[in-house]
Amino acid sequence: MTDESFISLFLESAFNSRLLTFNSKLTSMPGFELFGDEERKEVNDVLETGILMRYGFDGPRKGVWKAKELETAITETFGCQYAQLTSSGTSALTTAMAALGIGAGDEVIMPSFTFVASFEAVLSVGAIPVLVDIDETLTVSPVAVRAAITPKTKCIMPVHMCGSMADLDALKEICTEHKLILLEDACQSIGASYKGKSLGTIGDAGTFSFDFVKTITCAEGGVVMTNHKDVYTKSDGYTDHGHDHLGVDRGADLHPFIGYNFRISELHAAVGLAQIRKLDTFLSIQKKNNKALRAYLEQIPEVSFRVVPEGGEDSCSFLSWFLPTEELTKAVVAEMKTQGILAGSFYWFVNNWHYISKWDHLKEAVTLSALSDTQKIALLKLKETSFPVSDAIMSRCISTAISLVWTDEQIKEKGEKMAAVIQKVLHTHLQPA
Ligand SMILES: Cc1ncc(COP(=O)(O)O)c(C=O)c1O
């Protein structure tokens, strides 16, 4: 099926028009927009056996192993040796950290711009999130990373935000020099690559999220990818109460270490299996739509775009663009809102979930149960820390989510309206006094 027929097929359905409304309100990288018969078929395979769990029940499941099949598809699609599915992207990060031996008192250097899940995972293993500035890649700055290294640093965790990536060569060099672990939070960048390798497969381990608004979705789910057998074996046990998975009788399995339940279900994996087979289609539509929208903004000399490191290939799930000043950016956001075209564009600088300025719960160490003293002291220190470099970038940045179901007409309308708003604001604000 061609990209165009995919689009028209789904545009015709009432189901999809409901999603179009939905999507305008979400931070989406939207595999869910093209949900259809393929997903239903995979889910029905599972429903027919009635075995909804990924482990055991070898006889009644009649050869249906959706989670195992999806793990194999992930290794083949993204080019890593091992993949362990989990219940979410957040639990994938927690699992990866545990499997990499990151724990109490260890410092993990991560960016000031991400989703809260990144620091939640660090805290969940008893480690300390050390937040540092980003650069115009919208990901962690290697310069800031170097400056933050202490004898307690154990890991550098770049977060490949909004479809593109950190300067991975620079980060790898720092890791080698200081004997640090590189863990990629690639939850938002499924399908992007750096120097020919898929994001998430370049560090010691990497993670994807398959939640409902990611490039491919399982409804909820995630994965740890790695090329290290021991990291994989540990992730496999950790996500299933420490089971060693060596026999066919779950009750007789041994538990070499303490684990948790971060399992994915067969139903969720079934959806992901149908989605991963459509990934190339999703990416080609995303790239086409991103390029078409970008062409409207490129005509305005005052607009610049997010920097993609040399050798990087953006998944194009977002178009992230900058204006020259915070004042102009705020005026553009306000005018887009007034004209009813802000939906689908995100001003992260004031977003509750994605930028340090709004994470008071983190900076005040508000938790339901006690943190360790070391963690608490480190979090309270964040309250006194400023991020002027990140502020100067994020206050000028708007990211526009790219939909898979836009028609050429809709892109034209959106592009023209956005460009007109920017021109209007520039004209008003840059008039000589
Ligand atoms: C950068 C990043 N990391 C981790 C996660 C967590 O993924 P999940 O929602 O599957 O737990 C997300 C989810 O949006 C994310 O954007």
Side-chain angles (χ1 to χ4, degrees):
M1 191 182 275
T2 64
D3 298 348
E4 283 71 24
S5 54
F6 240 128
I7 294 172
S8 42
L9 179 72
F10 282 88
L11 272 176
E12 278 162 20
S13 79
F15 175 66
N16 199 56
S17 55
R18 184 163 58 82
L19 288 184
L20 278 173
T21 326
F22 258 46
N23 180 35
S24 63
K25 299 193 183 75
L26 291 170
T27 316
S28 72
M29 291 147 264
F32 77 86
E33 289 180 315
L34 299 184
F35 184 94
D37 286 345
E38 302 82 358
E39 286 77 2
R40 277 188 282 277
K41 191 244 161 228
E42 294 300 320
V43 171
N44 276 335
D45 287 350
V46 177
L47 292 177
E48 272 163 27
T49 68
I51 307 302
L52 312 187
M53 185 181 181
R54 70 158 299 177
Y55 295 114
F57 303 93
D58 294 27
R61 69 168 60 245
K62 300 192 184 92
V64 175
W65 297 92
K66 297 298 179 188
K68 277 187 206 269
E69 233 187 295
L70 179 54
E71 283 166 349
T72 303
I74 289 169
T75 58
E76 289 168 358
T77 305
F78 299 104
C80 56
Q81 287 190 47
Y82 307 100
Q84 176 63 43
L85 285 166
T86 61
S87 52
S88 68
T90 312
S91 62
L93 283 169
T94 299
T95 301
M97 285 184 215
L100 289 162
I102 299 163
D106 291 333
E107 292 180 355
V108 177
I109 301 179
M110 54 167 284
S112 57
F113 172 50
T114 176
F115 177 60
V116 290
S118 313
F119 65 70
E120 290 167 358
V122 177
L123 292 171
S124 75
V125 295
I128 297 162
V130 176
L131 277 76
V132 302
D133 273 322
I134 56 153
D135 58 26
E136 290 210 354
T137 64
L138 299 183
T139 67
V140 74
S141 148
V143 176
V145 167
R146 259 189 200 284
I149 291 173
T150 74
K152 288 187 180 162
T153 308
K154 180 101 176 219
C155 172
I156 298 174
M157 181 171 68
V159 185
H160 304 308
M161 286 298 279
C162 303
S164 184
M165 72 223 67
D167 182 344
L168 284 164
D169 274 356
L171 296 179
K172 275 202 294 192
E173 199 180 305
I174 300 173
C175 287
T176 308
E177 206 179 303
H178 293 270
K179 297 191 171 52
L180 302 175
I181 291 163
L182 183 65
L183 169 59
E184 295 173 82
D185 178 344
C187 287
Q188 287 203 10
S189 290
I190 299 172
S193 63
Y194 179 74
K195 302 200 171 168
K197 290 187 177 165
S198 292
L199 295 192
T201 68
I202 296 163
D204 296 290
T207 62
F208 287 155
S209 160
F210 300 128
D211 74 23
F212 192 53
V213 291
K214 293 301 184 287
T215 301
I216 52 179
T217 185
C218 293
E220 297 288 356
V223 69
V224 177
M225 293 172 292
T226 182
N227 293 312
H228 300 295
K229 189 163 191 215
D230 70 312
V231 175
Y232 163 70
T233 308
K234 287 173 183 166
S235 298
D236 177 51
Y238 190 78
T239 50
D240 188 23
H241 302 291
H243 275 263
D244 64 7
H245 295 144
L246 291 177
V248 285
D249 174 4
R250 271 179 73 72
D253 274 354
L254 297 179
H255 30 67
F257 50 79
I258 293 171
Y260 298 90
N261 178 1
F262 292 146
R263 291 187 304 257
I264 195 164
S265 82
E266 282 289 277
L267 289 172
H268 291 85
V271 175
L273 198 52
Q275 290 259 302
I276 201 169
R277 293 180 187 136
K278 299 178 183 177
L279 178 63
D280 285 348
T281 305
F282 294 170
L283 292 173
S284 70
I285 302 173
Q286 234 167 231
K287 285 176 187 176
K288 178 170 78 65
N289 291 355
N290 187 305
K291 193 172 164 200
L293 185 66
R294 183 177 169 128
Y296 291 92
L297 303 195
E298 268 172 349
Q299 289 168 23
I300 306 170
E302 288 83 357
V303 172
S304 59
F305 296 90
R306 174 219 198 127
V307 171
V308 177
E310 205 189 314
E313 197 173 328
D314 188 347
S315 79
C316 289
S317 50
F318 283 86
L319 178 64
S320 295
W321 44 287
F322 301 106
L323 287 152
T325 65
E326 175 177 347
E327 188 199 355
L328 285 167
T329 314
K330 285 189 165 152
V332 165
V333 169
E335 185 61 25
M336 284 174 77
K337 195 169 180 188
T338 306
Q339 295 200 16
I341 59 161
L342 187 62
S345 287
F346 300 89
Y347 186 43
W348 306 117
F349 189 50
V350 295
N351 183 291
N352 285 347
W353 298 96
H354 290 276
Y355 189 57
I356 178 88
S357 60
K358 293 281 185 172
W359 296 338
D360 289 342
H361 65 323
L362 177 72
K363 293 183 271 188
E364 284 165 19
V366 185
T367 51
L368 294 183
S369 54
L371 289 168
S372 72
D373 288 347
T374 339
Q375 282 179 312
K376 191 158 187 173
I377 291 164
L379 294 191
L380 294 176
K381 219 176 93 187
L382 272 177
K383 231 172 134 179
E384 318 303 323
T385 313
S386 58
F387 294 87
V389 177
S390 304
D391 288 348
I393 294 165
M394 295 312 297
S395 62
R396 297 186 296 105
C397 177
I398 298 172
S399 294
T400 304
I402 302 300
S403 170
L404 299 181
V405 293
W406 283 339
T407 60
D408 290 348
E409 263 314 298
Q410 284 172 320
I411 296 174
K412 182 169 183 283
E413 190 186 335
K414 195 173 180 73
E416 284 175 353
K417 282 188 174 166
M418 284 169 69
V421 164
I422 300 166
Q423 297 284 22
K424 180 179 170 189
V425 168
L426 290 173
H427 186 73
T428 319
H429 285 69
L430 299 182
Q431 287 282 23

